[in-house]
Amino acid sequence: MKKFTVCLLIGAMAASMLAGCGGSNSGSSDSADTKESKEESSSETMTIMMNGSDSDSYMEGYRKIVDGFNESNEYGVKVEIQNVVNSDYKTKLTTMMASDSETDIIFTWELGYLGNFVNGNKIVSLQKYLDEDEDWKNSFNGGILDPLTYDGEVYAIPTQQSTAIMYYNKAIFDEYNLEVPTTYDEYVQVCDTLKENGVTPVALASTADDAWLVSQYIQQLSNGIKGEDLFNSIKDGTGKWNDEGMIEAGKLFQEEVNKGYFEDGFTGVSGDEAKLMFANGQTAMYFNGCWEISNLDKKENAAEAENFSCFIMPPVNEEYAGVAVGSVDTSYAVTKNCKNVDAAVALLKYMTNEDSTSLLLYDYGRIPSTNIEIDDSKLTPLCADFVNLLSTVNAQTPWFDRVDTDLGNEFNNATIGIANGDDVQDSFDSLQSYAESKSK
């Protein structure tokens, strides 16, 4: 058994970014001063909107947790889940927020994404509930609430944390005497060797709906070129999108595309298709996030699953090893539409208690946001490899579209253009010009 104490490592970045965000309206007044009796609220229904589909294995875990809460909560409420697939989620939530038709509880990303709703007075502050329950507040890993804090108040609760990783097939690596690369040069050598032997090195999705995966890949390359300082400078406006580090990252990625490191026609391959290629042994590696652990561990992948492991993309400059793309994940916020905030907070506590967290970790490979004792024997081999891998991560940079939704989406779109052959310098020059026009 060991204590899970992996800190998010972005607390200072988040605090500096969010210090000026609005949010003086805590929303705590929306909660009833006295709790309704169970009899009075027995027919009350509360809806939570989650990002995912029935094909995502981890959604089964969240359904079990909600079912457990429905059976045991003292408020007599019944929580209903509304599933929305990732590609549609942002559009649907924005539309609902604009029409004041949002659900009681929403899945949310952190930083600037949630900040928009905090500033729009759409979200309830959870600070008083955390202050009233020190055990709950202190159960979270150090710094993990910072990206969800605005003007000193927490507005959402993370149920896990995520990191971008490269999955690899150990059997394929062994067949060609390949070692896990620790530098970018070694990574290139691995890819070249695979290509020479007729093996597709990497599965990567890059359709319009999966643009964030391509931007994630380029962001990871930039982390290994100039470290988290480059990310922080772009985030706070002191740096530029067309910084030489971003240009180099874009060019390296485009070189990889031209060398054929990715599956044929990868610019038209969806996330599910890329995952299936790797799961079926058609590629040696697969770039995505740790949230795919449970999907790769599915029974239908059993023939290959025992060969799956993972590593952090190695740095171009060795001094920036261990700077990964990652952040809090699967966070939930209570909206101003919620008529029973106390019950909603009780659900968030239930979702982050040790039993729920353990269920998500051991059965679905979801990495906890709280300090829990981990029984290594209950982890799948792939999940155990990732937990051990976290000890090599010394800094994380959140996805740019979480920092600033608009600029982040522009970055995503620019990287798809680069994948399709657009000039790298021109792409980042245009992105920088757009950023400057927004700041005027």
Side-chain angles (χ1 to χ4, degrees), residues 338-360:
C338 184
K339 298 300 189 294
N340 195 338
V341 177
D342 287 346
V345 172
L347 172 62
L348 298 183
K349 288 185 180 182
Y350 191 88
M351 293 175 75
T352 51
N353 68 26
E354 186 164 359
D355 287 342
S356 297
T357 299
S358 297
L359 170 70
L360 292 174

Side-chain angles (χ1 to χ4, degrees), residues 15 30 40 50 76 82 84 130 145 208 221 278 284 286 303-304 308 317 323 345 350 369 396 416 437:
D30 283 7
E40 292 173 327
M50 292 186 165
Q82 183 180 120
V84 181
L130 288 160
L145 295 177
L221 286 173
F278 175 72
Y286 168 52
E304 293 287 348
F308 297 157
N317 297 314
V323 182
V345 172
Y350 191 88
S369 63
Q396 295 201 100
I416 288 293
S437 70

